[in-house]
Amino acid sequence: MRRTGVFRAWKNNMGLGHHSHSHGQGSGHRSHTKRGTQQAHQHHDPADHVHHGARPATTRAMLVALILTVAFALVEAFTGWWSGSLALLSDAGHMVSDALSLGLGTLAVWIGKRPPTQRHSYGLQRAEIIAAALNGLLLLGVIGIISVEAFERITHPSPVHPFPVMGVAVLGMILNTLNGWMLSRMEKGLNTRALLIHVLGDFLGSLAALIAGFIIWQTGWMPIDPILSLVVAGLMLNSTFQILSESVHVLMEGVPKTVSLHEVGEQLAHTPGVIAVHDLHIWTLTSGMMALSAHLEVEALTNWPELLTLLRARLIHQHGIEQITLQPELRRPA
């Protein structure tokens, strides 16, 4: 981290948490600090976050996708068992995991829209991040099961009836296209991205089953079925790791990838009226909702309301940070 003075006396004491507001300057300072904190939160109340308006539609879309997915998973599992196709059976297993993930995602959205309480002042919006992490782990489990079974089928090929496989695969591609379209129209976030990866994996699984059925019909080469299943599993693996990595990053309160801590610190420190910035922290509360807290050493407290308005406007419009807590401090005499 750059040292004090590089960004006009911006410094960051990493040993202090973002909740630290204990730099007292007398009764006058405490009054201004309270006023500044209240004004910093005036712009946005977590309970009234814009995401909540979209969540009833999001929940309905998830429920429709859940019902369609469960119904088709049953059809696909029976057809895969009857025809002997691992590509269909693995895709049916993935569809079951999709149903679980959609149920989990729907529950997370419902929990996340609950208002703040005395015990959870930001509400339970991070339920969506937890759901995304659990869905990522579920995806890893599905990928592992498909891979183990595919290697078994490669060494011991089983007969596959191509025509039922191709028919169900086409239906699966249509269903997953519909589910993907519905999910893509919902509010964006890690939870939605995890669900979209599930649906994309299903679509690719159905496509693999269609291709495998056609090749078996034309050539009779049975290993193509498990080989294409491994290809689909490999395509899903990278996206799954990304979801898990981002979920853990949010839960660990890491600085969002879309924001530079140095850039924000430099911008705050170079604002006229600000002498130095310290204890700067930026983290993600939930998808699309970032928070910031910082202590600002200022030249005078008389113009703090105007300065606070200016800083908040910059942070909101230039960096997308909506939850802002800025504490003013007068520099102590040397």
Side-chain angles (χ1 to χ4, degrees):
M1 183 160 294
R2 304 186 187 186
R3 294 184 180 277
T4 301
V6 176
F7 296 132
R8 195 188 174 194
W10 173 52
K11 58 183 178 179
N12 193 19
N13 297 330
M14 301 306 293
L16 296 177
H18 65 262
H19 56 279
S20 175
H21 295 286
S22 59
H23 297 270
Q25 298 288 339
S27 59
H29 172 76
R30 284 194 295 270
S31 174
H32 281 288
T33 300
K34 183 176 180 181
R35 181 182 181 186
T37 303
Q38 290 172 338
Q39 289 182 351
H41 284 283
Q42 262 184 312
H43 170 75
H44 187 272
D45 183 347
D48 298 322
H49 195 265
V50 291
H51 286 199
H52 290 169
R55 283 181 176 172
T58 296
T59 305
R60 286 193 296 270
M62 284 185 172
L63 286 175
V64 172
L66 174 61
I67 294 171
L68 292 175
T69 300
V70 170
F72 188 76
L74 295 174
V75 174
E76 198 169 34
F78 175 79
T79 307
W81 169 79
W82 180 75
S83 64
S85 170
L86 175 62
L88 273 186
L89 282 173
S90 63
D91 196 45
H94 190 201
M95 293 286 278
V96 172
S97 77
D98 277 357
L100 292 174
S101 67
L102 282 166
L104 182 63
T106 304
L107 178 63
V109 171
W110 178 77
I111 291 175
K113 68 182 180 181
R114 296 175 68 85
T117 65
Q118 291 293 325
R119 290 182 59 82
H120 301 94
S121 59
Y122 279 116
L124 298 173
Q125 298 186 64
R126 276 205 174 167
E128 295 184 48
I129 306 300
I130 296 173
L134 292 177
N135 279 327
L137 294 174
L138 188 60
L139 277 167
L140 285 182
V142 171
I143 291 170
I145 292 172
I146 292 174
S147 301
V148 170
E149 185 65 22
F151 281 116
E152 178 67 22
R153 288 291 188 95
I154 290 174
T155 55
H156 302 90
S158 301
V160 176
H161 302 289
F163 293 110
V165 170
M166 289 189 289
V168 173
V170 170
L171 291 177
M173 292 172 66
I174 295 173
L175 172 68
N176 287 304
T177 299
L178 177 61
N179 282 348
W181 176 77
M182 286 191 296
L183 292 173
S184 67
R185 292 171 62 86
M186 298 188 317
E187 55 180 327
K188 300 300 184 290
L190 276 179
N191 188 33
T192 305
R193 283 177 53 198
L195 296 177
L196 281 171
I197 292 173
H198 275 279
V199 171
L200 177 61
D202 280 336
F203 180 88
L204 293 175
S206 296
L207 179 61
L210 178 62
I211 295 173
F214 180 80
I215 292 176
I216 292 172
W217 172 42
Q218 294 293 318
T219 67
W221 189 50
M222 299 298 174
I224 187 62
D225 184 64
I227 288 174
L228 288 179
S229 296
L230 282 175
V231 171
V232 172
L235 291 174
M236 292 166 55
L237 193 59
N238 180 58
S239 297
T240 300
F241 276 127
Q242 288 183 3
I243 289 294
L244 285 172
S245 174
E246 291 183 37
S247 300
V248 171
H249 187 73
V250 172
L251 293 174
M252 294 297 292
E253 298 195 343
V255 177
K257 295 180 179 180
T258 57
V259 176
S260 168
L261 190 71
H262 286 294
E263 181 180 337
V264 173
E266 183 180 67
Q267 187 179 63
L268 292 174
H270 281 78
T271 302
V274 178
I275 300 172
V277 179
H278 63 93
D279 293 312
L280 172 63
H281 300 274
I282 307 173
W283 68 102
T284 302
L285 293 169
T286 188
S287 296
M289 186 176 177
M290 292 183 288
L292 174 148
S293 69
H295 289 213
L296 274 59
E297 293 184 16
V298 296
E299 296 174 352
L301 293 175
T302 53
N303 65 337
W304 173 243
E306 294 78 13
L307 181 59
L308 175 62
T309 299
L310 172 64
L311 293 174
R312 282 178 47 235
R314 288 182 178 176
L315 291 170
I316 292 169
H317 297 299
Q318 297 183 22
H319 303 284
I321 302 172
E322 297 182 337
Q323 288 294 315
I324 302 166
T325 302
L326 298 174
Q327 177 169 319
E329 301 173 355
L330 287 175
R331 171 162 288 186
R332 296 177 181 178

